[in-house]
Amino acid sequence: MSTALDRLKNLTAKISSYEVARKENMAALESLYHALGVDEKVPEFADLFEFKAMNLAGISLADDTLGTPHEGKYVQIIAITYDREAKVRNKNSSLAYFGRAEKLESSQRDAVVAFVLRWRFEKSFRTLEHYHTLLQRF
């Protein structure tokens, strides 16, 4: 059975590895943001995280088929905004368009998938921080 000190050391190591991974993720995400042309639709990198969610059309994000192009579909990075006051609350916006899925080079397809996954990774940290802050009020 491990001691409290061993458990604390393991927890500290895990937290620091997450912070390193998060920092590396942000650098890679910003690079992809420019490389994929998302900066044309969202000029400020920080504004990417104002979106409620991000999805991908034309390429699978499912675990068992990750990165597989959908034949006959068009590849787009889709950002989703939510406006509580609007009549139609959810709005989809195309951040980048890449043409037919089966014609996209594998390196660009991988970059598109990586962009969406990296955005979701960072967004999950920001959501976690948000709820942590809310819980501190109690």
Side-chain angles (χ1 to χ4, degrees):
M1 186 152 141
S2 67
T3 66
L5 183 58
D6 289 337
R7 289 192 307 266
L8 181 59
K9 284 180 184 177
N10 288 337
L11 181 60
T12 302
K14 188 178 280 190
I15 290 169
S16 66
S17 71
Y18 280 139
E19 282 305 313
V20 169
R22 184 177 181 190
K23 187 175 182 178
E24 291 170 352
N25 181 64
M26 283 296 283
L29 179 62
E30 189 165 7
S31 177
L32 289 167
Y33 160 80
H34 294 293
L36 295 173
V38 176
D39 57 349
E40 294 174 20
K41 293 272 182 112
V42 183
E44 292 296 321
F45 179 70
D47 290 345
L48 275 179
F49 302 102
E50 297 300 316
F51 295 111
K52 190 75 170 170
M54 193 166 295
N55 212 343
L56 185 55
I59 300 174
S60 176
L61 289 175
D63 286 345
D64 56 339
T65 58
L66 184 65
T68 303
H70 298 293
E71 194 81 21
K73 300 291 183 180
Y74 295 91
V75 177
Q76 292 185 78
I77 297 173
I78 307 292
I80 301 153
T81 54
Y82 181 79
D83 183 355
R84 185 176 306 215
E85 306 300 320
K87 189 172 185 177
V88 177
R89 294 184 177 179
N90 289 328
K91 179 183 175 190
N92 293 351
S93 303
S94 177
L95 298 186
Y97 173 80
F98 302 96
R100 291 185 63 109
E102 64 273 8
K103 293 185 179 186
L104 198 61
E105 290 184 25
S106 63
S107 61
Q108 190 161 28
R109 185 175 63 237
D110 293 347
V112 170
V113 170
F115 177 81
V116 174
L117 294 178
R118 288 184 179 284
W119 181 90
R120 288 178 175 186
F121 185 71
E122 175 60 22
K123 186 69 172 182
S124 67
F125 275 106
R126 291 176 184 226
T127 301
L128 180 66
E129 289 171 344
H130 169 73
Y131 284 106
H132 180 72
T133 302
L134 287 178
L135 286 170
Q136 288 177 339
R137 291 182 179 177
F138 292 98

